[in-house]
Amino acid sequence: MLNKYARAFFTRVLTPFAAFLLRRGVSPDAVTLIGTAGVMAGALVFFPRGEFFWGTIVITLFVFSDLVDGNMARQAGISSRWGAFLDSTLDRVADGAIFGGFALWYAGTGDDNILCAVAIFCLASGQVVSYTKARGESIGLPVAVNGLVERAERLVISLVAAGLAGLHKFGVPGVEVLLPIALWIVAVGSAVTLGQRVVTVRRESAEADAATAGGGGAAS
């Protein structure tokens, strides 16, 4: 849902910055790699120590590389299958680092095995949600469904909650409960989204198989 509206808005906002990088000779692939490295550093250096506010700030500074690199490729007229593959693959790496950072916190100082398990479920379900669409498209299906909680929603919900929860260290009371709430929301939403995609792929594959069978019968 957020992808449909927010992505278009931020693409327009970041277009001048993308053009600036191109003029400086920076490649889209370099932006993709640097952005992913920054997200991983923010998640795996700060989150396991409970530094959610600063971790979120670092991640936010780098997460927009996901929009900048594609914008650069389009402006330069060098969009490619390799670029799309690299971008999608490193998105999964970045997402894994974010929820892995949460899991490490709850497995350690956070001392909450249930929330550790929820964070791991968010990590795994997010990967599978992405896989179902990629796999469906690879067998020729459109997978035409807007899931309840897709990647943009997962990141916004978890990072906003983490950043606000991090204000607890600055003396803001009660905000530490926001991250557990967000993780449960993302976990449930991801499960629903996975179900939506599986049902969609089942329906589309049945329709494609029926059309193929009908076409074969007509030809015979």
Side-chain angles (χ1 to χ4, degrees):
M1 289 182 287
L2 283 176
N3 275 334
K4 183 177 179 180
Y5 302 104
R7 194 175 187 90
F9 170 76
F10 283 110
T11 296
R12 289 195 299 271
V13 170
L14 294 170
T15 292
F17 180 60
F20 169 80
L21 292 177
L22 285 172
R23 290 195 298 271
R24 294 299 181 274
V26 180
S27 72
D29 286 355
V31 172
T32 303
L33 291 167
I34 293 170
T36 302
V39 170
M40 291 178 65
L44 297 178
V45 172
F46 291 94
F47 285 175
R49 294 157 41 197
E51 297 287 348
F52 295 119
F53 177 79
W54 293 115
T56 300
I57 293 297
V58 172
I59 290 170
T60 301
L61 291 175
F62 286 97
V63 78
F64 286 106
S65 65
D66 188 44
L67 297 177
V68 174
D69 55 5
N71 194 315
M72 292 172 65
R74 286 190 294 273
Q75 288 191 49
I78 55 174
S79 297
S80 66
R81 291 181 176 87
W82 161 250
F85 169 82
L86 181 66
D87 187 54
S88 179
T89 299
L90 293 185
D91 281 350
R92 308 288 82 75
V93 173
D95 293 357
I98 291 171
F99 290 103
F102 293 143
L104 287 171
W105 162 252
Y106 287 115
T109 308
D111 193 24
D112 193 318
N113 288 338
I114 292 178
L115 286 175
C116 176
V118 173
I120 292 172
F121 178 82
C122 290
L123 190 163
S125 59
Q127 306 294 321
V128 177
V129 164
S130 297
Y131 173 79
T132 53
K133 184 173 181 64
R135 181 60 178 142
E137 290 175 342
S138 74
I139 58 176
L141 301 175
V143 196
V145 58
N146 290 320
L148 179 64
V149 176
E150 298 185 339
R151 183 173 189 257
E153 287 83 4
R154 290 196 302 272
L155 291 180
V156 169
I157 292 169
S158 58
L159 291 177
V160 168
L164 292 175
L167 294 176
H168 175 69
K169 290 200 171 186
F170 295 91
V172 180
V175 290
E176 64 273 17
V177 302
L178 294 175
L179 181 55
I181 292 171
L183 289 175
W184 278 107
I185 291 173
V186 171
V188 172
S190 295
V192 172
T193 303
L194 177 59
Q196 289 176 302
R197 289 195 173 177
V198 169
V199 169
T200 298
V201 169
R202 179 179 174 82
R203 173 179 53 79
E204 290 178 349
S205 61
E207 292 172 352
D209 290 344
T212 300
S220 61

